[in-house]
Amino acid sequence: MEDGLRVTVWNEGVHEKKDARVQELYPNGIGGQIAQYLRKQPGIASVREVTMDSPEQGLSDEVLETTDVMTWWGHKAHHEVTDERAAKVQAAVVERGMGLLPLHSAHFSKPFILLMGTSCSLKWREYKGIGEKERLWVVNPGHPIVDGVPECIELELAEMYGEHFDIPQPDQLVFISWFRGGEVFRSGCCWHRGLGKVFYFRPGHETLPIYYNDHILRVIYNGVRWAAPVRVAGGITRRKFAPLEPEW
Ligand code: ZN
């Protein structure tokens, strides 16, 4: 899009209120850290930050109608997002082509589950309350989401997510993670849903400095660019339809 993308960073914002470790790590919130990075990138026209405490949970019709791509971080309060707002997010993706990037524990967010149609459950572990090493391997080196990213991103400490991850087969698989404990996980997954695109990206546990990692931030930015809406000139027609050729 020539004028740049309008991005909304949706951040639940609950850990930041309750957990001193998260406050210390992300003084401007997890959303604030992601937003400040995106604001500096080319092709981004605006970055709006919203949380659960924003009007209509940050998911008002006005917000959704003026968002090209939404990133979503949530964990503790998935169930507090109303079914009505979650359905609106789903519709924004399917019917209008809004891009959606569910991050980390947003695998259990209502909009993601609606868009997938599966449980989206998985194995998980916070090893010794700290975490363990993760390596994210690029498995789709021609994909725009890995532009400028090394073939392996190493995170010294991460929460483990392991297969089986109950998702529909991704249209494109971009990253597979390896964990010190032996598990693997499909950490970067792309789907098309109606007019829209969804990119799930795994890293981002709230007590670890993962959103300060340049490679991780780059993947999120690339994901935003990839998930941008595409507009067919004149729109798409779905109804009873007359032949284009003269009568025969
Ligand atoms: Zn986590």
Side-chain angles (χ1 to χ4, degrees):
M1 302 189 62
E2 280 176 27
D3 299 325
L5 296 171
R6 300 164 299 172
V7 178
T8 298
V9 172
W10 191 93
N11 180 44
E12 179 183 87
V14 174
H15 285 283
E16 292 92 332
K17 282 194 276 188
K18 295 182 175 170
D19 187 335
R21 282 194 303 172
V22 181
Q23 285 164 359
E24 199 178 322
L25 191 55
Y26 292 111
N28 300 314
I30 293 169
Q33 171 62 12
I34 293 169
Q36 64 80 31
Y37 177 84
L38 291 177
R39 283 191 188 106
K40 294 184 286 199
Q41 305 311 312
I44 305 281
S46 63
V47 180
R48 168 172 41 195
E49 291 177 55
V50 292
T51 70
M52 282 290 283
D53 291 339
S54 304
E56 298 196 68
Q57 308 187 309
L59 302 169
S60 68
D61 291 352
E62 192 269 331
V63 166
L64 292 171
E65 282 163 14
T66 55
T67 297
D68 294 315
V69 181
M70 177 174 280
T71 69
W72 185 293
W73 198 98
H75 179 226
K76 270 193 172 342
H78 294 314
H79 60 285
E80 290 177 30
V81 174
T82 66
D83 290 346
E84 187 216 0
R85 287 296 110 196
K88 290 270 189 180
V89 175
Q90 178 192 28
V93 173
V94 171
E95 294 167 20
R96 286 197 306 97
M98 184 185 83
L100 183 67
L101 269 70
L103 302 173
H104 188 58
S105 38
H107 69 93
F108 265 162
S109 63
K110 283 186 181 179
F112 184 60
I113 291 173
L114 283 173
L115 285 158
M116 295 296 107
T118 53
S119 75
C120 301
S121 57
L122 44 78
K123 292 186 180 68
W124 63 274
R125 169 177 68 237
E126 198 176 358
Y127 183 67
K128 295 189 174 176
I130 298 167
E132 62 201 90
K133 181 175 272 195
E134 174 179 8
R135 292 192 177 101
L136 292 107
W137 287 98
V138 171
V139 295
N140 198 338
H143 198 284
I145 285 179
V146 303
D147 184 57
V149 175
E151 71 166 338
C152 178
I153 302 173
E154 259 190 49
L155 300 173
E156 269 316 303
L157 290 174
E159 181 186 19
M160 186 282 292
Y161 280 7
E163 297 285 343
H164 178 244
F165 184 18
D166 185 22
I167 47 173
Q169 288 293 339
D171 296 328
Q172 295 141 16
L173 181 59
V174 183
F175 290 100
I176 293 178
S177 284
W178 165 95
F179 293 90
R180 178 79 191 269
E183 296 83 1
V184 295
F185 191 77
R186 289 168 289 173
S187 279
C189 302
C190 298
W191 295 267
H192 291 254
R193 288 291 182 271
L195 294 183
K197 302 194 245 347
V198 179
F199 174 54
Y200 172 77
F201 189 46
R202 195 209 82 83
H205 188 61
E206 63 275 5
T207 56
L208 297 168
I210 287 169
Y211 294 129
Y212 290 91
N213 180 301
D214 285 339
H215 301 313
I216 298 297
L217 290 167
R218 176 71 187 238
V219 171
I220 293 172
Y221 167 62
N222 289 345
V224 166
R225 296 291 297 259
W226 173 81
V230 170
R231 312 220 187 276
V232 171
I236 296 289
T237 310
R238 295 191 194 95
R239 56 171 163 73
K240 189 175 180 186
F241 203 64
L244 299 177
E245 295 293 324
E247 281 196 46
W248 66 89

